[in-house]
Amino acid sequence: MSTSLYPLASLAQIEKTPSREDGIPEELELDLRAFGCKLIHEAGVLLRQKQVAVATAQILFQRFWYVTSMKQFGIGDIGMGALYLASKLEECPVRMRDLINVYDLLLQRTAHKLKHPPGISSAGVPCPEFKYVPMSYFGNTFYELKDALVVAEMQILKRLGFNVHVVLPYGTLVNYLRLLGLTDREDVSNKAWGFLNDARLSLQTPVYALYAVPTIVSAAILLATRQLAIALPSTPESCWWELFDADWEDVWSVAGYIMRLYRERSPDDQARVLGLVSKKGVRLWLENLALANPNS
């Protein structure tokens, strides 16, 4: 990781992440990152956590996988640890028991979706609705999740070198729109804000661990103005993104990451992600892959 105001992944980390070195394909890794961040977002909503804490957790989660493999830690455990740590960093701490209860609910729902995909079963019978079964505070599940939460928080701090500073882009977006004379266009502001949320919330991208905030904000403005057919200066002599020290190739790359969120995923791809939330699931998948391709 770089040692700038906020850490960004190095070129070597981008080209070959620890997960890819362990045999996890790039597309699958991105999907697992996205799903892990989706769980963080859903947990934040259920806990009524501040948006800034949820955003910080998702960015820390993304950074973590540039220094650690998904074969070593599950995305569910690290997501839980990232949200717990972020709640402390943003001074809106969440009770450990509440966080564990919420993640137990989300993990049970994930297991239900894997076992009963939405829609009609092959026998023509509607799939059963999900019913949450609360855990016993004297059973193994609670203490296993508690131990996983403590370990995850410790590992995030350790492997990121305690460099957990996060810069969010919303203030920068407002300033850039003002400089471009677009503050009176509410549709532009809403669309650009939405693209920033797509880059950080719901189905996630790793752009906040790869690019500086000015580049990410420029990509959101680019997508918003293109969708609304608003022309901005783009000639070689006066490119609007150069006002913000953003490189065109980087801006275009961020835009590609964001638009990737809108692609259709096959049921098989969705089921595969649901089955790899834990490190145990990832290791079993890698073992089966090695058995199916012994010469690779």
Side-chain angles (χ1 to χ4, degrees):
M1 290 281 178
S2 67
T3 56
S4 58
L5 178 62
Y6 42 91
L8 299 174
S10 67
L11 183 60
Q13 290 171 322
I14 296 170
E15 288 178 341
K16 196 75 171 178
T17 65
S19 296
R20 266 174 263 166
E21 288 184 347
D22 282 337
I24 299 174
E26 181 179 5
E27 285 293 312
L28 179 57
E29 181 186 354
L30 291 174
D31 285 344
L32 287 171
R33 285 171 176 261
F35 188 68
C37 286
K38 182 180 180 182
L39 291 178
I40 292 173
H41 174 58
E42 291 175 346
V45 171
L46 292 172
L47 290 165
R48 298 182 180 178
Q49 187 57 273
K50 290 183 179 178
Q51 186 177 359
V52 65
V54 177
T56 299
Q58 291 170 318
I59 294 172
L60 294 177
F61 177 85
Q62 290 285 1
R63 289 178 185 171
F64 184 79
W65 300 116
Y66 283 106
V67 294
T68 311
S69 171
M70 292 175 181
K71 186 178 178 181
Q72 293 180 278
F73 299 95
I75 60 172
D77 294 343
I78 296 303
M80 183 167 54
L83 186 54
Y84 189 59
L85 174 59
S87 71
K88 297 178 182 178
L89 296 174
E90 299 301 334
E91 300 181 355
C92 48
V94 63
R95 288 201 325 166
M96 184 181 287
R97 176 172 291 185
D98 293 340
L99 180 57
I100 290 172
N101 281 334
V102 165
Y103 255 85
D104 181 52
L105 163 67
L106 295 174
L107 293 176
Q108 282 193 35
R109 190 167 67 186
T110 298
H112 176 82
K113 287 181 180 178
L114 180 61
K115 188 176 181 181
H116 305 286
I120 306 297
S121 67
S122 57
V125 179
C127 292
E129 292 185 1
F130 168 67
K131 292 182 180 180
Y132 174 56
V133 180
M135 75 178 96
S136 168
Y137 291 120
F138 302 102
N140 291 333
T141 303
F142 176 79
Y143 290 101
E144 287 173 358
L145 286 174
K146 183 179 179 181
D147 290 344
L149 171 56
V150 173
V151 170
E153 181 188 25
M154 178 187 67
Q155 289 294 333
I156 292 169
L157 287 169
K158 175 185 174 183
R159 292 173 187 252
L160 295 183
F162 285 80
N163 190 349
V164 290
H165 180 59
V166 169
V167 176
L168 298 177
Y170 301 108
T172 304
L173 173 63
V174 173
N175 290 331
Y176 285 9
L177 291 176
R178 185 178 294 116
L179 279 171
L180 294 171
L182 295 172
T183 49
D184 59 333
R185 291 291 302 267
E186 187 175 342
D187 52 350
V188 176
S189 302
N190 289 339
K191 272 200 172 293
W193 196 282
F195 282 125
L196 287 181
N197 280 337
D198 285 339
R200 185 185 56 78
L201 292 174
S202 189
L203 298 176
Q204 277 279 337
T205 74
V207 294
Y208 284 91
L210 300 177
Y211 300 99
V213 166
T215 301
I216 298 169
V217 173
S218 297
I221 294 174
L222 172 69
L223 291 171
T225 53
R226 286 204 170 186
Q227 284 201 2
L228 296 171
I230 297 173
L232 293 176
S234 302
T235 60
E237 300 81 22
S238 56
C239 298
W240 64 268
W241 55 86
E242 292 181 355
L243 282 173
F244 314 128
D245 293 326
D247 181 77
W248 169 252
E249 291 185 359
D250 290 343
V251 172
W252 191 248
S253 178
V254 173
Y257 270 111
I258 295 174
M259 294 310 296
R260 179 182 180 274
L261 301 179
Y262 298 97
R263 85 187 200 282
E264 289 290 332
R265 290 171 173 80
S266 69
D268 289 343
D269 287 342
Q270 295 177 28
R272 182 173 61 170
V273 169
L274 294 177
L276 300 180
V277 174
S278 67
K279 66 179 179 182
K280 182 179 179 181
V282 172
R283 290 175 177 178
L284 180 61
W285 184 85
L286 288 172
E287 289 173 5
N288 292 335
L289 184 67
L291 290 174
N293 303 280
N295 298 324
S296 61

